[in-house]
Amino acid sequence: MLQKTTFLSHSYAKPDGHTLAAYESAGGYKNARKALGMSRDAVVDEVKKAKIRGRGGAGFDCGTKWTFMPKESKKPCYLVVNADEGEPGTFKDRTIMERNPHSVVEGCIIGCFGIGAHAAYIYVRDELHLSKERLWAAIEEARAKGYLGQKPFGLDYPVEVYVQTGAGAYICGEETALLNSLEGRRGEPRYKPPFPAQVGAFGCPTTVNNLETIAIVPTVIGMGGEAFCKLSTLAEFNDGGSRLFGVSGHVKTPGVFECSVGLTLRELIYDLGGGILGDKRLLAVIPGGSSCPVMLPEELVNVPGDPRFEPYNGKSVLDLPLGVETFRSVGGMLGTCCAIVLSEDADPVLALHNLMRFYRHESCGQCTPCREGCGWIERILDKIVEGRATLDELDQLHRIASDITGNTICAFGDGAAQPVLSFVKKFRKQFEDYVLTGGKSQTKKLVA
Amino acid sequence: MPSFKLDGQDIPFEPGETIIAAARRAGVDIPHYCWHPGLSVAANCRMCLVEVLPPAGRKAMMLDVLEWDADKQDYVPAKKPKLVPSCQQAAGEGMEVASSSSEHVARARSAVQELLLLNHPVDCPICDQAGECRLQDYWLEHQGTKKRMHDEIVHKPKGVVFGPTIVYDAERCIVCTRCVRFCEEVVKDPVLEKRERGNLSEITLAPGRELDHGYTLMTEHVCPVGALTARDFRFKARVWFLRSAPSVCMGCATGCNAYLDFDPRDDTVYRHRPRENMAVNQYWMCDEGMLDYRRVHEGRLLAARVRGKKATLGDALEKAAGVLSGVDPERLGVVLSAQHSNEDNFALLRLGRDYLGTGHIYVSGRAEGLGDPVLKHADKNPNAAGVTALCTSTPPKTFAELAKDIHDGRITHVIALGSYSSDATKTEALGKLQGLVTLATREGPVAKHATVVLPVSSWAECDGTFVNAKGMAQESEKAITPRGDSLPGWKLVAALAKQLGLPMAWTKLAQVRKAMAPEAGATVAHATGAEA
C-alpha cells in the first residue's frame, strides 16, 4: 500500500532544511528533551513497540538490540551510528545527512540515553563530503544551543556526538569492521561472539545502528511506539513504521521516497519510480542493495501454511509488500529497500559482471573462500563477457558461490554469493548464449 | 572434566576451551592453517570448519545453495548446514561435532584447499617448505583434485627481503597472519602488517622498519607455507633428507627445548627449531638460539694438540697424564664449564676432587649478555645451575678468582673443561701456569694457553643433561656422530684417569649417570615435542 510519510523528508525540499532553526520550527529536539525526562526502560520500551527493523540491511529489531546492552557497566558504553553507506544501489542515508542532519543528532541523544551511553560516533563514508559537513555543522549548532555536552536541555545526562570518517572501504559498513576502523585498525570484520553489545568499540559495550534507524527514533518518541508501528501494514510481520525507499536503474524518476512500510515493489517501480524507461518491459529487480538475490516479475509468492501470506500467494513478488520477513520467506532479501531495476534492454550477464567486479575489489581478504572465491568468479565472468569462457567454467560459478556461502566470518561472503547464485539460476540461458556464441550474443547494454 | 563428542570420540575439555584446542590435547588434529595454540584466534583460513550438530529436537541452521542437475540440465536448490570454525567455537558439554565424518565439512575443506592453491605458484621444486608444507599435506588429505583454474595466477611481490634473516614471497602466502600475530603478541613489536585487500592481500613491513627484532626466525617457523623463508636455511637442504634430534638450546640459561635438524648422510646440522615445552619455552625460540646450531660446525677443535702441535689422541692423553701426575693437590685447579653437560662436569669433578684430591674448583663459561622478557636469559650458559648443583658443599669459584689464584702462585696446574674464559681481561693469567690440560669443544682462550688440548664432542654429538635457570634438568640427545677425533667429555676424562692409573672405568653414559644421580639432584624433564 502506497502511503507517503514525511517524518524524515519534511525538510528535504527546503533550501535551509538542514539548519537547526528549520528543524526546531518543525518541532525538532522536543522529543529528545521528552526522552531524557523519561526512564531509560520506558524509552527502550517505546522503541521496541515501534518494531523498527534495522534499516541497514540485516533487518534486526532496533529495540531488541538496545536491550542487549548491560543495565550497569563498569566500562563506558557507546552508540555507533553506521553511515558508511556503500552498497551499490543504496543512497538513502546520505539524503538524511545532507538534508535533515539534526534528526540524526537528536536520534543520537535518545539512542545514547536508551543504551546507557554518553558518546555517539557517527561513522560516515569518506566520499560523502557534504554529509560530513552537514553533520558537523548540526553537531556544532546543537552544542552551541546546549543540546549536547554536559547538560543537554539543562538535564543531567551528558551526551557528546562525534563524526568519524571511513577511508573508502565497503567492508567497513559491516558493523565489526566498522568498529575496527573506528579504533584505527584495519577494517576487517571480527568474529562473533562476542557481539558488540558485549565487546564493541574500544572493548566496551556498544550498539551499532544504521543512520536511518537512529534518525527515525525521535519520531517514535514523539508519536509513541505503538502509533508509529501502526503506520505499517506489516505490523503482524513485526515490521513497523515508515522508512525510506530508494529506486534506481532503468526507471523514469529514480530517487528516495519516504513511505509507510507495506509498499510493494510494483508501487516503488511504477508509482514512485515512474515506470520503466522507454516504457519497456521489466526484466528483473534487485530489491534492496546489490547483495540481495535478483527477482523476476514472473516469480510468484508461494508460502503455504502461513495465513499471513494468504492474500499474496499466487501473486507476483512485485505485489508482495516490502518487509524483512515477507521477502525472507520467498527466498529473497529485503536489504536496504533500495531497489535496482533492470529493463528488458539490460544484459543480466553484464549486470552480474559489474556487481562481481565490485565484490572482488571490496573483499577484505581475511577469509579464504571470499578472498579467493570472489576473484575467481570475477575472472570467469571476465572470460564469459569477453567470449573466452567454456561451459565448464560457467558450471563453476554456482559451485564457487555455494562454497563461499556461510563459510566466512562476516556476511560479505554471502552478500557476494547471493547475486551469483540468483543470476545464474534465473538467467542460465543468457550465460550459456555468451559461452556458446563466444560473446556475440551480447546485444543488450548495461545502461539503458 | 566435561566432554564432547568429535566424530563419535569422547574429547574432554576445560571450560572455555575451543574444539580444536581440546582435540589437540587429546591427540586429534583438526586441519588448520591460521590457528596456533600460542597465538590469538584469527579464524580466517576456514580450514578447521566443523559441523556442530544441533541439540536433540532442534533444527540445524541451513543455508540455501545451488547444485547443477545434469539430467534436468538445470540448477536445483540445495541446503547445507552452517559450519563453524573449531578454532573459535568453544566446546560445550555433550556437544556433538562432526569433523572427518561430515560430507559438508569435507566439501568445505576441499574448497578452501582449492582456493588457497588457486593463485599459488605451486613451485614446490624450488621451495624450501616442500616436504613440511601444509598446502602439500592437506592437498593430499583433503583435496586431491587437479586445478580447475587454468588462467595466469595473480602475481605479487616475490623475494622481498624483510630483514637480515627473512625473505618473503607474497605469491606463496595464504595471509593467515600467524607471523603478524606472533610479532604483535609474543614479541610485542608489531613490525608486520597486512596490506591491500581481497586476493591482492599481502604481508608488509611497518613503514621505515625491517623485520629485525630478536625473534624473526620464529615468523618463518610459524608460517605454515613457504611464504617466509629463513635466509640461513633457504636452498641449503631438502627437509626430507633431514632427521631431527630432540635437543636443548645452548644459547642461554633458559634451556629452550629444540630440535636439531641434521642430514645423517654427511653428519651436518642444518637447523635448530623449537620443540614445544609449556614449562620452558612454550612454542618459541629466539634468533640467537635458532642460529646457535652453527657452533656445532664453526670454530671447532677437532684434533688433540700438545704444546700447540697436532697430536693423536693417544699421545695427547699420555702427555696430559704426564702434566698432571705428581702435582701437589693444593696447587691443582679444576675448572668446570657451564657450557658443558652435567655428565662431562661430573666426570671431571670426580677426577679432580675425588681422585686427584684438590679442593680448588672453578667454573668458566660465556660472559653475560642481554636478556629479555620473552625468553632470553642474561646468563649465556646452558648449565650454570647444573654445575653449581654438582658442587654440593662449596660453590665453584669464578674465573676471575682463578686468575687471581694463578697470579698469586697458589695454583700452578689446571685441568679445564671448555674453552670460554667468562672474562676476556683475565685470560693472560693462564700463560703463567706450569701445566694446563684443556678438554674443549671449540677454539678459545683456554685452549690457546693449554699444554695439552683434548677435543670434546659438542652437545649435538652426544647425549647430555643440562639444568636451566629454573632448575629443570633437561636431556639433550645425540644428533650426529662425533666430529673429527672428538669424544664426549666424560669419555675423555675416563681415558685420562685410566692413563693416570685411576679406577674410573666408565665406558657407558648410563654408568656416569648412575654415579651422578645422588649429586645431580634435579629430575630430568622430558618434553612432549608436539607440532603446533
Side-chain angles (χ1 to χ4, degrees):
Chain A
M1 187 184 64
L2 175 54
Q3 177 78 50
K4 284 198 178 184
T5 57
T6 57
F7 302 113
L8 290 172
S9 55
H10 61 84
S11 61
Y12 279 21
K14 298 177 199 157
D16 66 343
H18 58 276
T19 61
L20 181 62
Y23 188 64
E24 284 203 294
S25 71
Y29 285 106
K30 272 188 199 149
N31 298 322
R33 197 189 303 258
K34 179 180 170 191
L36 261 51
M38 296 159 65
S39 75
R40 179 178 158 187
D41 287 344
V43 169
V44 176
D45 223 41
E46 288 304 320
V47 175
K48 273 173 84 173
K49 281 186 205 154
K51 294 181 180 168
I52 313 170
R53 303 300 287 257
R55 309 301 199 216
F60 196 83
D61 183 73
C62 175
T64 310
K65 197 185 246 184
W66 285 12
T67 62
F68 295 157
M69 291 295 280
K71 281 271 174 285
E72 278 174 27
S73 169
K74 282 183 185 151
K75 290 177 172 179
C77 298
Y78 294 110
L79 173 68
V80 172
V81 180
N82 187 345
D84 191 51
E85 187 176 55
E87 180 100 349
T90 303
F91 43 87
K92 61 183 182 61
D93 292 344
R94 67 184 294 182
T95 63
I96 304 173
M97 290 186 275
E98 288 175 3
R99 294 185 241 171
N100 194 2
H102 279 286
S103 66
V104 181
V105 178
E106 189 177 7
C108 284
I109 299 171
I110 302 170
C112 278
F113 185 70
I115 62 166
H118 293 282
Y121 290 93
I122 308 173
Y123 186 96
V124 186
R125 183 178 168 192
D126 188 50
E127 290 86 341
L128 304 181
H129 299 298
L130 183 59
S131 295
K132 289 183 286 185
E133 195 184 310
R134 290 269 160 93
L135 279 175
W136 267 124
I139 291 166
E140 289 308 318
E141 276 184 306
R143 187 178 289 128
K145 206 76 187 275
Y147 297 167
L148 292 173
Q150 280 304 308
K151 279 183 172 288
F153 314 108
L155 299 167
D156 201 17
Y157 194 86
V159 174
E160 285 294 349
V161 180
Y162 306 95
V163 172
Q164 174 67 41
T165 66
Y170 168 65
I171 193 63
C172 290
E174 198 278 342
E175 62 177 6
T176 53
L178 185 155
L179 293 175
N180 274 342
S181 174
L182 184 69
E183 292 177 15
R185 295 164 191 266
R186 194 179 152 83
E188 284 182 342
R190 300 175 182 170
Y191 199 84
K192 284 151 277 183
F195 291 94
Q198 296 139 15
V199 181
F202 311 103
C204 301
T206 302
T207 293
V208 185
N209 280 134
N210 171 259
L211 182 117
E212 187 194 335
T213 312
I214 281 295
I216 200 67
V217 166
T219 307
V220 171
I221 297 297
M223 70 192 293
E226 241 162 87
F228 179 78
C229 179
K230 279 184 189 153
L231 293 169
S232 158
T233 56
L234 292 181
E236 56 176 347
F237 289 93
N238 293 318
D239 208 334
S242 74
R243 65 186 295 168
L244 297 181
F245 293 83
V247 59
S248 64
H250 305 156
V251 287
K252 288 175 186 164
T253 54
V256 174
F257 308 92
E258 189 182 354
C259 299
S260 291
V261 173
L263 188 77
T264 65
L265 270 174
R266 193 181 298 284
E267 287 159 347
L268 180 61
I269 296 166
Y270 290 96
D271 298 342
L272 298 172
I276 309 296
L277 277 178
D279 292 320
K280 300 275 184 171
R281 194 177 60 81
L282 172 65
L283 176 73
V285 54
I286 307 174
S290 59
S291 299
C292 302
V294 65
M295 303 195 111
L296 309 183
E298 304 88 71
E299 282 179 60
L300 302 180
V301 179
N302 179 25
V303 188
D306 188 336
R308 296 177 302 175
F309 279 93
E310 256 164 39
Y312 314 114
N313 276 339
K315 286 188 181 171
S316 163
V317 288
L318 293 187
D319 297 311
L320 180 67
L322 284 158
V324 176
E325 278 166 37
T326 50
F327 268 63
R328 196 175 284 157
S329 299
V330 295
M333 198 173 130
L334 179 69
T336 57
C337 258
C338 286
I340 303 170
V341 176
L342 301 179
S343 87
E344 60 181 322
D345 273 358
D347 191 322
V349 179
L350 293 181
L352 180 64
H353 181 234
N354 191 39
L355 287 180
M356 289 317 293
R357 275 170 57 205
F358 173 80
Y359 285 107
R360 200 279 298 152
H361 186 254
E362 295 294 344
S363 166
C364 82
Q366 207 178 180
C367 308
T368 307
C370 172
R371 177 181 72 231
E372 302 294 342
C374 290
W376 195 2
I377 290 170
E378 189 211 10
R379 184 176 287 208
I380 293 174
L381 287 169
D382 279 347
K383 291 174 81 176
I384 290 175
V385 168
E386 289 163 20
R388 296 186 292 119
T390 62
L391 275 179
D392 208 33
E393 281 170 314
L394 172 58
D395 285 339
Q396 301 289 358
L397 287 178
H398 75 279
R399 194 186 56 78
I400 304 166
S402 295
D403 285 336
I404 298 174
T405 302
N407 288 351
T408 52
I409 289 175
C410 77
F412 182 103
D414 302 341
Q418 285 303 326
V420 180
L421 293 174
S422 59
F423 267 88
V424 293
K425 183 166 194 295
K426 292 166 188 177
F427 298 106
R428 169 83 187 186
K429 171 93 175 54
Q430 284 88 331
F431 281 90
E432 259 177 31
D433 286 350
Y434 260 79
V435 173
L436 297 175
T437 64
K440 292 196 175 61
S441 67
Q442 180 185 324
T443 53
K444 295 166 180 177
K445 308 172 282 184
L446 188 55
V447 185
Chain B
M1 196 184 269
S3 71
F4 66 96
K5 273 202 185 331
L6 178 62
D7 298 326
Q9 183 189 339
D10 274 317
I11 309 270
F13 67 94
E14 311 266 3
E17 201 171 23
T18 57
I19 292 173
I20 202 171
R24 178 174 185 265
R25 225 162 20 81
V28 180
D29 185 51
I30 297 177
H32 60 277
Y33 289 97
C34 70
W35 182 74
H36 188 289
L39 300 174
S40 65
V41 172
N44 63 31
C45 75
R46 318 310 281 180
M47 195 64 187
C48 74
L49 289 173
V50 292
E51 185 178 349
V52 175
L53 303 176
R58 295 263 294 276
K59 274 189 181 167
M61 181 181 171
M62 299 301 274
L63 303 167
D64 293 310
V65 290
L66 282 185
E67 295 290 344
W68 176 251
D69 188 324
D71 296 333
K72 284 188 188 164
Q73 280 295 297
D74 197 3
Y75 295 102
V76 288
K79 298 250 182 212
K80 68 168 189 178
K82 168 89 178 150
L83 306 177
V84 297
S86 59
C87 66
Q88 208 279 336
Q89 177 67 50
E93 173 67 55
M95 197 181 244
E96 285 211 45
V97 181
S99 175
S100 56
S101 58
S102 162
E103 53 172 330
H104 299 290
V105 170
R107 167 153 178 190
R109 285 186 188 155
S110 170
V112 165
Q113 189 56 35
E114 179 173 30
L115 290 165
L116 284 175
L117 286 170
L118 195 74
N119 288 303
H120 187 283
V122 200
D123 54 349
C124 307
I126 56 157
C127 178
D128 288 280
Q129 190 80 12
E132 53 182 8
C133 178
R134 290 198 185 196
L135 285 170
Q136 292 180 322
D137 297 347
Y138 291 160
W139 182 84
L140 276 168
E141 286 171 34
H142 301 286
Q143 188 191 3
T145 55
K146 284 188 179 170
K147 198 167 179 173
R148 285 183 278 202
M149 201 272 292
H150 306 296
D151 306 308
E152 189 72 15
I153 63 163
V154 174
H155 288 296
K156 293 192 218 176
K158 296 178 82 72
V160 183
V161 175
F162 267 7
T165 58
I166 298 290
V167 176
Y168 174 64
D169 185 326
E171 289 185 354
R172 291 179 190 160
C173 181
I174 60 165
V175 216
C176 69
T177 68
R178 270 183 173 196
C179 55
V180 176
R181 285 175 284 145
F182 173 78
C183 290
E184 192 171 324
E185 294 164 17
V186 179
V187 193
K188 316 274 186 233
D189 179 14
V191 58
L192 295 180
E193 186 48 288
K194 245 168 99 175
R195 60 168 293 222
E196 262 294 351
R197 270 199 313 242
N199 63 2
L200 300 176
S201 297
E202 61 179 77
I203 305 300
T204 190
L205 289 162
R209 278 294 307 275
E210 275 197 313
L211 181 58
D212 57 2
H213 52 63
Y215 295 81
T216 59
L217 290 167
M218 275 310 301
T219 61
E220 186 274 338
H221 185 72
V222 296
C223 180
V225 299
L228 295 172
T229 46
R231 294 172 84 177
D232 180 65
F233 181 73
R234 66 199 311 246
F235 309 137
K236 298 253 169 65
R238 306 278 17 191
V239 295
W240 50 87
F241 291 128
L242 301 184
R243 298 294 174 269
S244 303
S247 73
V248 173
C249 178
M250 298 291 118
C252 75
T254 303
C256 291
N257 291 208
Y259 283 112
L260 273 175
D261 290 345
F262 63 99
D263 191 332
R265 298 171 305 172
D266 58 2
D267 265 336
T268 306
V269 177
Y270 282 96
R271 194 167 66 170
H272 213 191
R273 63 190 166 90
R275 178 164 55 99
E276 180 181 332
N277 186 338
M278 295 312 285
V280 184
N281 52 316
Q282 296 181 305
Y283 317 93
W284 325 120
M285 265 175 88
C286 69
D287 284 357
E288 257 173 52
M290 286 175 86
L291 293 174
D292 201 44
Y293 77 90
R294 290 170 172 171
R295 283 203 288 162
V296 174
H297 297 296
E298 288 171 7
R300 279 295 295 275
L301 208 155
L302 296 173
R305 282 203 302 258
V306 176
R307 298 195 188 281
K309 290 217 171 80
K310 201 173 164 185
T312 64
L313 204 51
D315 284 352
L317 281 166
E318 203 177 305
K319 288 285 187 311
V323 170
L324 296 173
S325 59
V327 174
D328 177 2
E330 282 307 306
R331 295 282 175 267
L332 176 65
V334 171
V335 182
L336 304 178
S337 171
Q339 280 284 315
H340 286 253
S341 68
N342 266 358
E343 289 82 353
D344 290 4
N345 279 294
F346 172 72
L348 185 63
L349 189 65
R350 176 57 63 93
L351 174 71
R353 189 182 60 188
D354 302 345
Y355 288 106
L356 299 178
T358 178
H360 302 295
I361 313 296
Y362 305 88
V363 63
S364 73
R366 289 204 287 182
E368 274 219 341
L370 292 174
D372 73 16
V374 189
L375 287 177
K376 284 188 210 169
H377 202 285
D379 176 4
K380 296 300 172 194
N381 299 292
N383 200 26
V387 171
T388 311
L390 285 171
C391 304
T392 41
S393 48
T394 45
K397 292 187 270 184
T398 64
F399 194 86
E401 287 170 292
L402 171 69
K404 189 164 183 302
D405 288 348
I406 296 170
H407 198 76
D408 297 347
R410 280 198 292 274
I411 299 292
T412 56
H413 290 75
V414 162
I415 177 163
L417 185 60
S419 202
Y420 290 99
S421 70
S422 309
D423 188 344
T425 60
K426 300 283 195 307
T427 53
E428 276 163 41
L430 297 169
K432 294 189 178 156
L433 287 168
Q434 291 169 30
L436 170 60
V437 175
T438 302
L439 292 76
T441 304
R442 302 164 57 75
E443 297 286 1
V446 183
K448 197 177 123 198
H449 290 99
T451 326
V452 179
V453 178
L454 301 169
V456 178
S457 300
S458 75
W459 86 99
E461 294 142 48
C462 54
D463 294 347
T465 311
F466 298 84
V467 183
N468 71 3
K470 285 185 182 168
M472 302 164 71
Q474 307 188 100
E475 267 180 47
S476 177
E477 289 179 25
K478 174 183 168 174
I480 56 175
T481 49
R483 310 216 341 122
D485 293 343
S486 74
L487 287 176
W490 62 269
K491 261 189 185 168
L492 283 173
V493 173
L496 184 56
K498 196 178 168 197
Q499 263 323 311
L500 286 162
L502 302 169
M504 263 179 72
W506 293 330
T507 54
K508 290 195 176 74
L509 186 69
Q511 294 167 317
V512 183
R513 286 185 172 166
K514 198 176 168 201
M516 177 175 73
E519 297 189 36
T523 50
V524 174
H526 289 278
T528 56
E531 280 294 299

